[in-house]
Amino acid sequence: MILYELISYDVMRVIWWLLLGVLLIGFAMTDGFDMGVGALLPFVGKTDVERRVIINTVGPVWEGNQVWFILGGGAIFAAWPPLYAVSFSGFYLAMFLVLAALILRPVAFKYRSKREFSAWRNGWDWALFIGGAVPALVFGVAVGNVLLGVPFELTPQLIPMYPGSAFGKLFGLLNPFALLCGAVSLSMLLTHGAAWLSLKTRGNIAARARDIGAMSGLVTIVGYAVAGLILLFFIDGYAIVGEVVKDGPSNPHFSEVERTGSWLAAYLDRPWIVIAPICGFLGMFMVMKGLREDRAEVATLLWSKLGIFGAISSVGLTIFPFLLPSTLDPTSSLTVWDASSSHQTLFIMMVATVIFMPLILAYTAWVYSVLWGKVTEDEVTGNSHSY
C-alpha cells in the first residue's frame, strides 16, 4: 500500500508505456528471427534436407517466442483499453490478415513432414514464408500509419468512429509511406533471420543466409534513413497545446491537440533520444558487416538485436507522449496521459509483472542454453522427432 502511494499515477503511466515498449521489442527480437527464417526458407534452402535444417533451427523455440506477442496484446488490453478498442476494432481486417498468417505457421510446422511428396512439402514451405513475411510487413505498415495519424474520431461518449468501408480502411493503410515502413520492417527481420541462420547452421545454408542478410541489411539502413527524411520534411507531427494534465482521467477530450511542426522536433526538446536511431543505424551496419565478413555469429546476432531495439524505440521516443494520433480530430488522439487504465489497475499489473517477468526471462534463457549449438543435416535426418 505504501509503494502504491509512492508511485504516482503519471509515473505509473510512463512505467507501463516503457513496459509496452519492452514487450514489443522483445517480440521483435525473439519471434522476429522466427519470422525472418520463415520468409527466407524458400530461398535459402534448396533441398528438402536443407529446408528441414532451417525449420529445425526455430522449431523448438518459436512457440515460446510468440508468447511475447500475446503478452504485448494483453498489455494493450489491460493497461491501455482505449488504444486496444480503437486500434483492434478499426483495423480488424489488417489484424485478421496478421492472425491468419500467424495461424499458418503452427499448421505448417506440424503438417509439413507428415508426407514425403515434394508438392506437399513445397506448399507448406510457402505457408511458412507467408507466416513470416506477411506479419513482418503488416507490423511495419501499422507503424507507418501511426506516424502519419489514423482517420478516427471519438464521440462525446468515447465511442471510436471510422469513415468508409472495412475494405476501404484496409487499402487506406497501404499508402506509400506506410509501405516503405513495411519494407523496412520486413528487411530488418530478414536480416535478423539471416543472423540467426548464420549462428545455427553451417555450409551452404549459412552462406546463402549471409548473402541475403547482407543485402536486406543494406535495404534496412537505406529505408530507415529515407523514412526519417520523409518524416522531417513532409509529415506533420502532433503536439499537446496548453496545460498537460499527466495524472488526470483517461479521457482524450480533456487535452487539446494540434498538428504542428515535425515529429523530429522531439530531438530538439529531448536531445538524448538520438541514442535510439544511432543504435538502429549502428546495429544494422554492424550486422551487415558481420554477415558480409562471416564474423563471430553471436556478436552478429546481438548487433541485429541492437538494431531492432534502436529502430522500434526511436518510433516510440519520437512520438511520445502519443500512442495513436487522429487525423480526423486531433483532440481524439490517444496519449500516454489520457488512454490508460486506473492507477490501481496499473499498480496491480506492475506487481504481477515484477513477479512473473523474471521467471519468463529465466526460463527462456534456460531453454536457449539447452538448445545451444548448430543444427546439422545428420542431426535432422537421424532424429525421428525432428521436423
Side-chain angles (χ1 to χ4, degrees):
M1 187 63 180
I2 296 176
L3 184 61
Y4 170 72
E5 294 175 350
L6 287 177
I7 304 178
S8 62
Y9 196 10
D10 58 329
V11 172
M12 195 71 72
R13 282 169 160 166
V14 174
I15 289 174
W16 270 99
W17 173 78
L18 290 171
L19 286 173
L20 178 60
V22 168
L23 292 172
L24 295 179
I25 292 171
F27 168 64
M29 286 183 175
T30 55
D31 206 38
F33 68 72
D34 295 343
M35 291 188 287
V37 167
L40 289 170
L41 177 63
F43 311 103
V44 174
K46 299 301 183 181
T47 67
D48 181 66
V49 174
E50 287 183 347
R51 291 185 178 185
R52 289 186 64 195
V53 170
I54 294 169
I55 291 170
N56 278 275
T57 65
V58 297
V61 297
W62 74 269
E63 288 177 294
N65 292 339
Q66 197 160 282
V67 168
W68 289 93
F69 180 61
I70 299 170
L71 290 174
I76 295 175
F77 174 77
W80 309 100
L83 176 62
Y84 184 92
V86 172
S87 59
F88 278 65
S89 61
F91 305 139
Y92 181 81
L93 288 180
M95 295 291 182
F96 182 82
L97 183 64
V98 170
L99 290 176
L102 290 177
I103 288 170
L104 280 176
R105 285 206 298 171
V107 178
F109 277 124
K110 300 301 181 184
Y111 280 90
R112 183 190 185 277
S113 297
K114 298 299 183 183
R115 302 180 69 181
E116 296 184 0
F117 297 116
S118 59
W120 171 269
R121 293 190 172 186
N122 286 337
W124 288 118
D125 290 341
W126 284 103
L128 286 171
F129 167 80
I130 294 171
V134 170
L137 178 68
V138 174
F139 289 144
V141 168
V143 170
N145 279 281
V146 169
L147 290 167
L148 289 171
V150 179
F152 75 95
E153 58 183 340
L154 299 175
T155 69
Q157 294 77 31
L158 301 183
I159 299 173
M161 304 294 291
Y162 295 83
S165 64
F167 284 100
K169 287 181 285 187
L170 175 62
F171 289 110
L173 298 176
L174 304 177
N175 55 77
F177 179 74
L179 288 174
L180 171 63
C181 293
V184 172
S185 173
L186 176 58
S187 61
M188 180 174 68
L189 295 189
L190 285 174
T191 307
H192 198 38
W196 175 257
L197 289 177
S198 176
L199 173 66
K200 295 291 289 184
T201 64
R202 294 189 177 98
N204 291 331
I205 298 175
R208 295 188 199 109
R210 286 193 293 268
D211 290 341
I212 296 176
M215 289 187 292
S216 61
L218 179 60
V219 171
T220 304
I221 292 172
V222 173
Y224 187 45
V226 171
L229 292 174
I230 292 174
L231 278 179
L232 178 62
F233 293 109
F234 300 105
I235 296 176
D236 291 333
Y238 290 72
I240 301 176
V241 296
E243 182 182 2
V244 179
V245 181
K246 299 180 178 180
D247 58 354
S250 289
N251 186 337
H253 291 311
F254 280 27
S255 301
E256 186 177 352
V257 176
E258 293 181 357
R259 299 205 71 166
T260 177
S262 167
W263 279 124
L264 300 190
Y267 292 87
L268 298 177
D269 299 333
R270 292 170 278 131
W272 61 270
I273 68 175
V274 73
I275 190 65
I278 289 175
C279 287
F281 282 115
L282 177 62
M284 282 296 112
F285 174 78
M286 291 302 294
V287 69
M288 182 181 68
K289 189 171 185 292
L291 290 171
R292 282 188 182 277
E293 299 176 1
D294 188 15
R295 305 180 71 172
E297 295 101 342
V298 174
T300 299
L301 183 65
L302 292 177
W303 282 118
S304 180
K305 291 180 183 292
L306 179 67
I308 290 172
F309 166 80
I312 297 177
S313 61
S314 66
V315 176
L317 291 170
T318 298
I319 69 173
F320 181 86
F322 289 90
L323 298 171
L324 192 66
S326 168
T327 56
L328 291 184
D329 177 22
T331 304
S332 296
S333 300
L334 305 181
T335 74
V336 171
W337 313 124
D338 56 28
S340 73
S341 294
S342 68
H343 189 185
Q344 184 177 22
T345 298
L346 296 181
F347 176 77
I348 293 172
M349 289 173 57
M350 188 188 72
V351 172
T353 301
V354 169
I355 294 172
F356 290 106
M357 183 64 76
L359 297 177
I360 294 173
L361 293 175
Y363 174 76
T364 301
W366 175 78
V367 168
Y368 279 91
S369 67
V370 171
L371 298 172
W372 190 256
K374 294 184 180 290
V375 179
T376 65
E377 294 187 6
D378 291 339
E379 179 183 344
V380 168
T381 55
N383 184 356
S384 61
H385 297 289
S386 64
Y387 288 103

